[in-house]
Amino acid sequence: EKTGEVKKKQIKEGVGNDSPRDTAQVHLTVEVVRDSAGAVITCVGGPIEISFRAGDGQVCDALELAVLRMNPGERAMIYCSKPSMCDDPTLKLSTEGEVIFTIELTSFQNPRNTYDMPEADKLKHAMERKETGSRLFREKRYFLALQRYRGVLDFFSFCENFSEAMKAQVKDLKKTCELNLSQCLLKLGDFYGAKVACDKVLAEEPHNLKALFRRASANLQRHDFSESLNDLKQLLELEPSNADAKRLLPQAQRGAKEGEKKARSMYAKMTKSLGTGRE
């Protein structure tokens, strides 16, 4: 995962070892926000107190990510090198360069342990977090969306004892989250991660069209052209009119041919260097 855009430098140590979890109620003091040259770009009139529910995208991505690694009472400088992760309507912040936040995690209240919820509440919670992820994806906040989908999958990995009536719904929700996870990873440039997410779906549902296309897309970016071509051919057998697969197919075919040509050339050079084998 690409988390290098947001870095934290601690100024004052916090209390204890607890940090906010997804859906925690967070109270944060933003003392000042500066650009890379040190000029104040917001909080000109002094510190701003903000409260939000972690993981919902109510504050900018930089602050969402930062508070998950902080303890109560901790002060820190947060460096964010990606402008889109710093845009924050609450702080009236929009920038084109690096931003440095000075913040203090005033307090937070984590949600109740979701593993102790009644079965119906567990499913409702997971569906709500999936929907939050989908909203964040539509807003092009791919890293936050990724966290929501991954959170649902992690949640289900610890909550396996569902009734027979619920198992089908849980299975379908897990599949949706894996597919959405793969799409986030494609957007973030983690093509191997996207492939792995699709592998999991296709292991259970070999003819899933979305998983085939997204794995083909990931393998194309990884220059694994033959694997990409295999998935696209299978997809077009299942759905001959699929426009996205048709669009990608020529690229995979060209890459596969070039790969075969390079392999033949390399083999020829190897056999030539070994000689005829005669003494």
Side-chain angles (χ1 to χ4, degrees):
E1 296 172 359
K2 295 188 175 181
T3 56
E5 294 91 350
V6 180
K7 298 178 181 178
K8 183 187 78 167
K9 180 180 179 182
Q10 189 180 77
I11 300 172
K12 184 187 77 174
E13 189 174 353
V15 178
N17 297 314
D18 286 342
S19 296
R21 301 195 305 268
D22 185 37
T23 73
Q25 293 295 331
V26 178
H27 304 283
L28 188 70
T29 301
V30 182
E31 298 179 9
V32 68
V33 184
R34 301 179 185 273
D35 63 18
S36 57
V40 176
I41 52 179
T42 192
C43 301
V44 177
I48 297 175
E49 306 285 340
I50 55 176
S51 298
F52 60 96
R53 192 170 84 144
D56 285 357
Q58 295 170 355
V59 296
C60 67
D61 295 19
L63 295 181
E64 284 273 16
L65 296 175
V67 297
L68 300 179
R69 296 177 286 155
M70 295 179 71
N71 308 124
E74 180 178 350
R75 291 181 69 235
M77 296 174 71
I78 308 301
Y79 297 80
C80 181
S81 59
K82 191 172 183 179
S84 63
M85 298 181 74
C86 305
D87 290 346
D88 194 310
T90 303
L91 298 174
K92 298 180 181 179
L93 177 61
S94 180
T95 181
E96 296 180 358
E98 184 183 46
V99 172
I100 305 165
F101 299 84
T102 301
I103 63 174
E104 179 175 349
L105 179 57
T106 311
S107 64
F108 65 89
Q109 183 176 356
N110 272 326
R112 66 170 173 155
N113 193 330
T114 50
Y115 309 118
D116 296 330
M117 289 179 178
E119 187 177 75
D121 288 351
K122 288 179 181 178
L123 186 60
K124 182 179 178 182
H125 169 79
M127 291 180 70
E128 188 271 330
R129 299 321 285 156
K130 189 272 290 185
E131 289 301 323
T132 298
S134 298
R135 173 179 56 79
L136 291 166
F137 184 89
R138 291 192 297 271
E139 294 171 1
K140 299 183 179 181
R141 301 176 73 175
Y142 303 123
F143 194 83
L144 287 188
L146 174 75
Q147 288 188 320
R148 301 292 73 76
Y149 298 134
R150 185 161 285 160
V152 174
L153 293 167
D154 289 345
F155 173 63
F156 282 135
S157 70
F158 290 100
C159 298
E160 298 178 343
N161 298 321
F162 284 94
S163 67
E164 291 299 322
M166 285 286 189
K167 282 182 179 178
Q169 295 181 68
V170 169
K171 183 178 180 180
D172 188 59
L173 185 55
K174 287 171 68 175
K175 179 184 71 175
T176 299
C177 286
E178 286 287 8
L179 287 169
N180 292 352
L181 185 76
S182 71
Q183 188 76 327
C184 288
L185 291 167
L186 284 171
K187 293 290 187 181
L188 291 167
D190 184 351
F191 303 118
Y192 178 75
K195 173 192 174 299
V196 170
C198 292
D199 286 344
K200 292 177 182 178
V201 175
L202 291 165
E204 297 286 333
E205 193 177 313
H207 294 160
N208 187 286
L209 300 181
K210 287 183 179 179
L212 284 169
F213 179 76
R214 290 173 190 174
R215 188 168 71 177
S217 301
N219 280 326
L220 188 67
Q221 294 297 327
R222 298 177 66 236
H223 293 183
D224 194 343
F225 299 111
S226 60
E227 289 297 319
S228 179
L229 189 57
N230 289 340
D231 282 341
L232 290 171
K233 286 180 176 178
Q234 185 180 352
L235 197 163
L236 286 169
E237 286 178 5
L238 296 166
E239 189 178 69
S241 62
N242 190 293
D244 289 330
K246 287 181 178 180
R247 173 179 54 80
L248 220 58
L249 186 65
Q251 299 176 53
Q253 288 172 327
R254 285 194 300 270
K257 286 180 181 178
E258 290 174 6
E260 290 173 3
K261 185 178 178 180
K262 288 179 181 178
R264 285 195 299 269
S265 176
M266 186 178 296
Y267 179 75
K269 289 178 181 178
M270 287 174 61
T271 54
K272 185 177 179 179
S273 65
L274 291 172
T276 61
R278 297 177 182 174
E279 294 183 2

